[in-house]
Amino acid sequence: MSDERGGIAKIPIQISRNCVIASIQIDLSDAVLRQFRTELLELIQSSGAHGVILDVSGIEVMDYEDFEALHKTMAMARLMGAPSVLAGLQAGVVSSLVELGAETDDIVAAMDLDDAFRVMDQLRATTDRDNHEDRRDERLQASAPNQL
C-alpha cells in the first residue's frame, strides 16, 4: 500500500497518558507493517512509554499473516517494558482469526479506545503492585540471617 506521493502509507502514532497509541485504519502490507514496527519500537525507546494501544477498529479484514505480524510487534513492545492492548477488533475479524487458528491466549483486548485506557491502567497497577512485592521480598531475604 502506498500513499499519494508513492511512498509507503504510514500508520499514525502518538503518545497519550504515557502510552503509544497507533490508530491502524489502512490496509496492511508487509512494508507497512515493517515500517510501523520500526517506528513503534523506536518511539517506545525514545519516549520511555509504559504501554502500547493498537486501535484496529478501522480494519474490517485482517488475514492471519497480518495478525501474526502485529502479534510479534506487541511481543517486542512487551519485551521493552510496554505491555500492549489491542482495541476495537471487529466481530468478523475475531471470528476469522479464531477459525484460522491464530494464537490469541496472550492478547489483551478491549472493546474500544476508552476501554483500552482502562485496561492499560489495570495492567500498570498490577505491574506496579508486583514490582513492589518483589522489592519487598528482596529486602526481606537480604535482612534474614543466613541459614545453613
Side-chain angles (χ1 to χ4, degrees):
M1 157 146 278
S2 62
D3 64 12
E4 309 79 52
R5 297 175 304 275
I8 297 172
K10 292 182 74 166
I11 295 170
I13 304 173
Q14 62 183 349
I15 296 179
S16 177
R17 295 169 52 181
N18 203 24
C19 282
V20 176
I21 313 298
S23 182
I24 304 172
Q25 307 293 319
I26 61 174
D27 291 336
L28 301 174
S29 68
D30 290 343
V32 168
L33 288 165
R34 272 192 308 276
Q35 178 178 325
F36 170 66
R37 178 184 309 124
T38 299
E39 291 175 1
L40 177 75
L41 297 177
E42 287 174 356
L43 186 56
I44 292 168
Q45 185 172 25
S46 67
S47 70
H50 291 183
V52 174
I53 296 175
L54 302 181
D55 177 10
V56 295
S57 59
I59 297 178
E60 294 183 19
V61 176
M62 183 184 307
D63 65 27
Y64 181 84
E65 290 79 19
D66 292 345
F67 176 78
E68 284 300 311
L70 286 176
H71 192 191
K72 287 179 184 176
T73 300
M74 293 169 69
M76 291 173 193
R78 187 172 48 252
L79 285 173
M80 295 179 73
S84 301
V85 177
L86 200 55
L89 281 165
Q90 302 284 338
V93 171
V94 170
S95 178
S96 295
L97 290 173
V98 170
E99 288 292 325
L100 292 170
E103 181 60 46
T104 60
D105 290 343
D106 64 341
I107 298 292
V108 178
M111 294 296 290
D112 55 34
L113 200 51
D114 289 335
D115 191 32
F117 277 112
R118 284 189 289 278
V119 169
M120 186 59 67
D121 289 343
Q122 291 171 349
L123 287 174
R124 287 181 183 162
T126 301
T127 300
D128 290 346
R129 185 178 60 246
D130 290 347
N131 288 340
H132 177 71
E133 289 173 0
D134 289 346
R135 286 191 300 274
R136 185 192 68 225
D137 291 346
E138 289 169 3
R139 285 192 305 271
L140 289 173
Q141 289 175 353
S143 66
N146 291 335
Q147 298 179 7
L148 295 176

